Amino acid sequence: MSVQKPAVIYLDDEEINLLLFKEMFKKDFEVFTTTYPEEAIDFIKNNDVEYVFTDQRMPLMSGVEFLKELEAMNVTTSVKKVMISGYAAEGEVSEAIDKQLIDRFIDKPWTYDGLKTVISTI
């Protein structure tokens, strides 16, 4: 009998980050990655997702806007949310934390060990 791995989604406009994340965490999680916020939203609507990772600065929708969309859909009550960004303005990150849109913030560039530690502590 196989144990089902927790589902994780990572939204980022930088394809290399998505490829690295998927490769590093494929043994631990069922990983879905996308550069399109609407794809991410559809995936979350239709799957039991345990973790949401999002970049902040993206061309189609910021990470904060994306997380607000999820909050409005009431799908994130048990989902752990992590923002990963190298460009997040302090005000935007503070807003996301204050409004409890994210559980953690991680600066880019991220490392496997750094993300693994965050995952194990939220």
Side-chain angles (χ1 to χ4, degrees), residues 47-109:
N47 294 277
D48 186 21
V49 175
E50 191 164 330
Y51 297 93
V52 172
F53 292 86
T54 183
D55 187 17
Q56 168 56 16
R57 183 184 274 182
M58 298 177 286
L60 300 175
M61 179 185 292
S62 75
V64 169
E65 291 169 334
F66 170 69
L67 293 167
K68 284 179 180 177
E69 291 256 343
L70 296 183
E71 181 181 53
M73 296 175 349
N74 291 322
V75 296
T76 60
T77 54
S78 64
V79 176
K80 296 160 186 93
K81 301 163 294 288
V82 179
M83 184 178 288
I84 304 173
S85 187
Y87 301 103
E90 181 141 349
E92 294 168 324
V93 174
S94 295
E95 175 189 6
I97 292 168
D98 290 345
K99 292 186 176 183
Q100 298 180 333
L101 295 174
I102 60 173
D103 297 298
R104 295 285 192 283
F105 177 82
I106 299 175
D107 283 313
K108 282 184 180 177

Side-chain angles (χ1 to χ4, degrees), residues 10 12-22 35 110:
Y10 184 11
D12 196 322
D13 63 320
E14 296 179 54
E15 194 71 40
I16 188 68
N17 289 328
L18 300 176
L19 293 170
L20 289 170
F21 185 90
K22 190 171 225 174
T35 58
W110 51 265

